[in-house]
């Protein structure tokens, strides 16, 4: 078994690690063998995220105090740290920022890069990384031939390990920015979506697709979600029709979700949607087209009018929950 | 303003591509080739940007085989003025870094030939086949340009480029120097369709062909042997166990039946 030193860059938002951050520590430990797993946090407020990293299995945490770290800064800082510490693997979360950071970092340090890893296998020849092609209908197993390997890890692909004691060293690092590292400037940041939608941690998701027909009918999805304590999901056409906000989008360009139960009303099951919800434990689909591809992944499929099934489900759930 | 839009020809993204067990390759046989959706968004955004009264031209390029010419033709019919296909056996088996390197060489070469650097090099954020999203960021590194990802609109203000970048909860306005690399997300409109007239015109436009030698690409930087990421095998994802399909006349009965299976399975 080869020992490898693994860097896990944990992205933060408002001082807290993003969901995939601690999740990565499990595959990092696996890849490390007897090597060291070091979390890297770039944030002016890193205490919370650092403690969480130690709880979920990091051996040490390197912190770099830096106000807001847009990918440009991150790339520069991670490059400097990779040069200083010489990790064998650098893991980054597959967030929008992570997907920008990883390839740039890899290009700068001459490393091979694999994005959206959702499984790994440690073999005698090296690590085999699994990444989806065509939105997940095919899986590609790849190896990286360079000394340093850069990978991004898909949110939800790995479960957080057991929580332990937060023991381990925290190493504050000076930030050395190279001249010209930062070329772009955010001159305005506008929040359009104020609601908090946490699809990634939801245990139950009820999704409405374009087949709900009208905005009014789509709103009834919320009613079922409320009874079930579920989160509302949506397909892209629903968002484009303005029935709900982008925060609800499930799929390739939305959220990758893995609830215990996923109920889809009037969703056709395009690969770009399936890729986002295929990790659900139990899938129920209602579609009036008996050949709709969503049925290929459903544990229960109801062929019929979603608008008729929805009120029956609401009613039955009310009875079940006693509300 | 000179804009380069990098496109890739991919199999129709509305067709489900699976693993062909007999060949071990994706089942793309007979699937219509199209321009990758995010690349069409990049082209449309570039076209709309110039239509705001900015003088300039759009060039498109793709790295691909002979067949990719048809995709370049399609781009010429919806806003691009020049088109190039980058083709060489050497490029075969390139990983994202090899592709970005070759595209970078080509961008520089075309700029020299057409007399002047590109101000903007625009890519889609990812392709529907590889879905890895590495080419744009790596191209920025290869060219040494600044980068803004997830772009949904561009605007020029007082001579400076302002880019609208989609974020989780809204958008940023990012000021970037030029030249720059941008990657396109989905704007809230569909790209234009070609007209019969624009199609006819595109058919007559020349498409440049560039080889590795033409762009001065080095064999230790691109192609299979230079690839840092090697495919070991393709695999089919684990099959979900077959579900129950309820197809009954009486929708209430069907719903109740489904509901009772759900409660039995303890998922509610
Ligand atoms: C680059 C790219 C990225 C994309 N990213 C995403 C993404 O992240 N998420 C996403 O969802 N999509 C995404 N899409 C879009 C995707 O390809 C599909 O168009 C979309 O998922 C379809 O949404 P839908 O199922 O709601 O609508 P449709 O495909 O229009 O399907 C509606 C379904 O409802 C059924 N129906 C109609 N009326 C009823 C009724 N009364 N009762 C029951 N069933 C009914 C129909 O039979 C049909 O199957 C992306 C596309 C591209 C090109």
């Amino acid at each position: 078994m080869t020992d490898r030193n693994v860097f896990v860059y944990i992205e933060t938002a408002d001082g807290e690690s993003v969901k995939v951050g601690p999740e990565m520590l499990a595959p990092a430990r696996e890849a490390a063998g007897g090597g060291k797993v070091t979390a890297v946090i770039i944030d002016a407020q890193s205490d919370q995220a650092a403690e969480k990293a130690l709880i979920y299995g990091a051996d040490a945490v390197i912190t770099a105090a830096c106000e807001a770290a847009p990918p440009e800064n991150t790339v520069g800082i991670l490059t400097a740290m990779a040069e200083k510490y010489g990790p064998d693997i650098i893991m980054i979360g597959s967030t929008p920022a992570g997907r920008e950071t990883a390839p740039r970092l890899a290009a700068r340090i001459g490393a091979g890069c694999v994005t959206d890893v959702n499984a790994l296998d440690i073999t005698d020849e090296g690590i085999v990384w699994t990444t989806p092609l065509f939105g997940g209908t095919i899986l590609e197993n790849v190896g990286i031939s360079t000394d340093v390997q850069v990978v991004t890890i898909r949110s939800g692909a790995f479960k957080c390990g057991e929580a332990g004691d937060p023991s381990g060293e925290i190493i504050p690092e000076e930030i050395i920015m190279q001249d010209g590292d930062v070329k772009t400037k955010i001159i305005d940041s506008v929040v359009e979506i104020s609601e908090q939608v946490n699809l990634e941690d939801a245990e139950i998701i009820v999704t409405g697709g374009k087949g709900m027909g009208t905005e009014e009918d789509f709103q009834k999805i919320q009613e079922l979600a409320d009874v079930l304590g579920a989160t509302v999901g949506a397909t892209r056409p629903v968002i484009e029709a303005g029935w709900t906000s982008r925060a609800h989008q499930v799929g390739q360009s939305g959220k990758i979700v893995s609830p215990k139960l996923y109920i889809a009303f009037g969703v056709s099951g395009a690969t770009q949607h399936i890729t986002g919800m295929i990790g659900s434990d139990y899938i129920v689909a209602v579609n009036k087209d008996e050949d709709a591809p969503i049925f290929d992944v459903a544990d229960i499929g109801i062929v019929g009018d979603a608008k008729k099934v929805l009120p029956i489900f609401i009613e039955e759930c009310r009875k079940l929950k006693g509300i | 303003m000179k804009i380069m839009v990098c496109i890739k020809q991919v199999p129709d993204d509305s067709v489900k591509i699976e693993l062909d067990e007999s060949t071990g390759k994706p089942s793309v046989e007979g699937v219509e080739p199209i321009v990758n959706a995010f690349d069409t968004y990049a082209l449309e955004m570039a076209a709309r940007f110039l239509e705001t009264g900015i003088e300039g031209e759009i060039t498109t390029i793709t790295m691909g085989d002979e067949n990719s010419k048809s995709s370049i033709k399609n781009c010429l019919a919806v806003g691009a003025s020049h088109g190039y296909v980058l083709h060489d056996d050497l490029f075969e088996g390139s990983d994202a870094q090899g592709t970005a390197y070759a595209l970078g060489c080509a961008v520089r070469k075309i700029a020299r030939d057409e007399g002047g650097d590109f101000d903007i090099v625009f890519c889609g954020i990812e392709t529907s086949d590889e879905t890895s999203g590495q080419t744009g960021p790596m191209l920025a590194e290869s060219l040494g340009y600044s980068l803004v990802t997830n772009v949904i609109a561009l605007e020029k203000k007082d001579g400076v480029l302002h880019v609208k970048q989609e974020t989780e909860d809204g958008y940023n306005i990012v000021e970037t120097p030029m030249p720059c690399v941008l990657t396109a997300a989905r704007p809230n409109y569909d790209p234009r369709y070609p007209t019969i007239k624009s199609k006819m015109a595109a058919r007559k436009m020349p498409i440049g062909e560039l080889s590795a030698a033409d762009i001065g690409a080095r064999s230790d930087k691109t192609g299979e042997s230079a690839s840092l990421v090697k495919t070991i095998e393709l695999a089919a994802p684990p099959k979900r166990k077959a579900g129950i399909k309820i197809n009954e006349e009486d929708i209430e009965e069907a719903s109740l039946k489904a509901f009772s299976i759900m409660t039995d399975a303890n998922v509610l």
Side-chain angles (χ1 to χ4, degrees):
Chain A
M1 182 105 186
T2 317
D3 294 338
R4 300 179 180 86
N5 289 321
V6 183
F7 260 27
V8 178
Y9 166 59
I10 297 191
E11 191 184 326
T12 53
D14 303 320
E16 276 190 55
S17 41
V18 298
K19 179 172 181 280
V20 67
E23 286 173 1
M24 286 188 282
L25 294 165
R29 172 60 63 208
E30 210 179 312
K36 196 168 168 187
V37 174
T38 308
V40 180
I41 298 165
I42 306 171
D43 197 318
Q45 256 86 46
S46 58
D47 302 359
Q48 264 185 357
E51 179 168 320
K52 197 161 188 183
L54 293 173
I55 287 175
Y56 286 104
D59 297 310
V61 182
I62 297 173
T63 60
C66 174
E67 282 302 338
E72 253 178 349
N73 304 28
T74 314
V75 175
I77 295 168
L78 290 178
T79 302
M81 292 204 191
E83 276 159 8
K84 178 165 173 184
Y85 291 90
D88 303 298
I89 296 171
I90 304 174
M91 286 187 180
I92 296 176
S94 267
T95 62
R99 285 167 61 92
E100 172 176 340
T101 304
R104 298 184 79 181
L105 172 67
R108 265 188 221 181
I109 62 176
C113 180
V114 178
T115 36
D116 271 349
V117 165
N118 56 19
L120 79 167
D121 188 21
I122 319 284
T123 72
D124 291 342
E125 284 84 49
I127 301 182
V128 179
W129 307 99
T130 302
T131 169
L133 295 184
F134 295 98
T137 53
I138 298 177
L139 300 176
E140 184 181 25
N141 293 328
V142 300
I144 300 177
S145 59
T146 47
D147 291 341
V148 189
Q149 312 190 31
V150 175
V151 297
T152 74
I153 305 284
R154 234 186 198 198
S155 181
F158 298 89
K159 300 257 183 281
C160 269
E162 293 277 313
D165 282 334
S167 62
E169 201 185 353
I170 295 184
I171 311 157
E173 265 292 340
E174 284 286 317
I175 300 169
I176 308 133
M177 298 293 288
Q178 301 297 314
D179 236 13
D181 260 357
V182 176
K183 298 187 182 120
T184 64
K185 193 165 94 194
I186 296 175
I187 53 173
D188 196 9
S189 204
V190 178
V191 175
E192 290 175 310
I193 305 165
S194 53
E195 56 175 337
Q196 293 292 327
V197 182
N198 192 348
L199 285 164
E200 285 161 311
D201 291 319
E203 298 227 321
I204 304 179
I205 294 173
V206 188
T207 290
K210 203 62 203 293
M212 287 311 295
T214 64
E215 179 169 359
E216 203 186 339
D217 283 306
F218 178 81
Q219 298 312 334
K220 297 199 183 111
I221 295 280
Q222 181 72 54
E223 214 176 311
L224 178 60
D226 287 344
V227 181
L228 286 173
T231 306
V232 173
T235 62
R236 192 171 88 171
V238 162
I239 283 130
E240 286 179 347
W243 297 352
T244 188
S245 86
R246 184 150 59 69
H248 293 274
Q249 185 169 327
V250 173
Q252 189 187 332
S253 32
K255 288 289 186 304
I256 310 290
V257 302
S258 47
K260 293 205 169 82
L261 173 63
Y262 191 91
I263 312 179
F265 288 95
V267 173
S268 61
T271 53
Q272 294 90 351
H273 185 79
I274 302 274
T275 191
M277 46 69 80
I278 189 76
S280 309
D281 291 342
Y282 201 90
I283 298 169
V284 179
V286 186
N287 196 303
K288 68 174 183 192
D289 171 10
E290 66 174 309
D291 295 322
I294 188 81
F295 288 133
D296 297 345
V297 301
D299 292 282
I300 307 177
I302 306 174
V303 182
D305 189 345
K307 283 181 269 198
K308 295 203 176 111
V309 177
L310 186 53
I312 302 170
F313 268 35
I314 295 172
E315 162 105 20
E316 289 304 306
C317 285
R318 283 225 165 88
K319 279 193 222 155
L320 188 75
K321 306 270 168 189
I323 38 179
Chain B
M1 179 77 60
K2 290 183 63 184
I3 305 179
M4 171 68 90
V5 179
C6 304
I7 66 144
K8 184 177 182 187
Q9 182 168 293
V10 296
D12 183 348
D13 61 17
S14 64
V15 177
K16 187 171 172 187
I17 309 290
E18 291 181 300
L19 190 67
D20 180 337
E21 301 284 355
S22 63
T23 61
K25 295 212 165 76
S27 59
V28 291
E29 209 62 35
V31 181
E32 197 197 340
I34 60 163
V35 180
N36 177 53
F38 285 115
D39 306 344
T40 67
Y41 309 153
L43 178 56
E44 179 66 29
M45 270 185 250
R48 289 185 183 210
F49 176 52
L50 293 183
E51 280 160 8
T52 59
I54 293 163
E55 199 176 316
E57 269 185 340
I58 300 170
T59 303
T60 51
I61 186 166
T62 187
M63 184 166 133
D65 58 16
E66 267 290 300
N67 284 327
S68 325
K69 270 191 177 173
S70 66
S71 283
I72 292 290
K73 280 237 142 71
N74 290 340
C75 295
L76 291 171
V78 288
S81 309
H82 310 280
Y84 292 89
V85 174
L86 190 54
H87 175 62
D88 203 301
D89 289 345
L90 176 66
F91 300 138
E92 209 95 342
S94 289
D95 63 2
Q97 261 176 98
T99 305
Y101 166 76
L103 282 173
C105 292
V107 167
R108 285 204 199 89
K109 153 82 180 159
I110 296 167
R112 279 196 301 275
D113 290 356
E114 287 187 2
D117 271 338
F118 287 93
D119 302 289
I120 297 172
V121 179
F122 217 159
C123 302
I125 188 147
E126 64 179 25
T127 55
S128 59
D129 52 358
E130 308 260 356
T131 58
S132 85
Q134 297 184 29
T135 306
M138 284 177 172
L139 181 55
E141 289 295 319
S142 159
L143 288 165
Y145 293 178
S146 62
L147 170 73
V148 187
T149 55
N150 270 306
V151 171
I152 47 174
L154 327 177
E155 195 188 359
K156 220 172 154 191
K157 252 197 181 143
D158 309 323
V160 183
L161 186 61
H162 283 192
V163 177
K164 191 169 178 184
Q165 174 183 53
E166 190 176 77
T167 59
E168 293 253 335
D169 57 7
Y171 63 88
N172 291 331
I173 301 294
V174 184
E175 190 181 296
T176 174
M178 289 182 282
C180 61
V181 171
L182 308 177
T183 69
R186 162 115 182 139
N188 60 359
Y189 50 75
D190 284 318
R192 73 195 60 188
Y193 288 102
T195 60
I196 292 172
K197 213 171 129 202
S198 73
K199 265 192 182 160
M200 298 277 283
R203 216 170 289 160
K204 294 200 198 91
M205 287 155 85
I207 294 176
E209 287 179 63
L210 297 170
S211 67
D214 291 334
I215 60 169
R218 281 165 40 185
S219 61
D220 61 338
K221 291 276 210 176
T222 187
E224 176 129 41
S225 61
S227 174
L228 310 177
V229 178
K230 312 250 188 249
T231 302
I232 299 164
E233 59 173 354
L234 301 186
K239 282 244 176 315
R240 288 186 73 94
K241 77 173 178 9
I244 305 159
K245 202 189 257 179
I246 306 170
N247 193 351
E248 283 174 16
E249 273 300 309
D250 186 337
I251 195 70
E252 173 145 20
E253 217 164 274
S255 306
L256 293 176
K257 194 163 164 185
F259 201 82
S260 88
I261 302 171
M262 281 159 76
T263 42
D264 287 349
N266 237 337
V267 293
L268 283 170

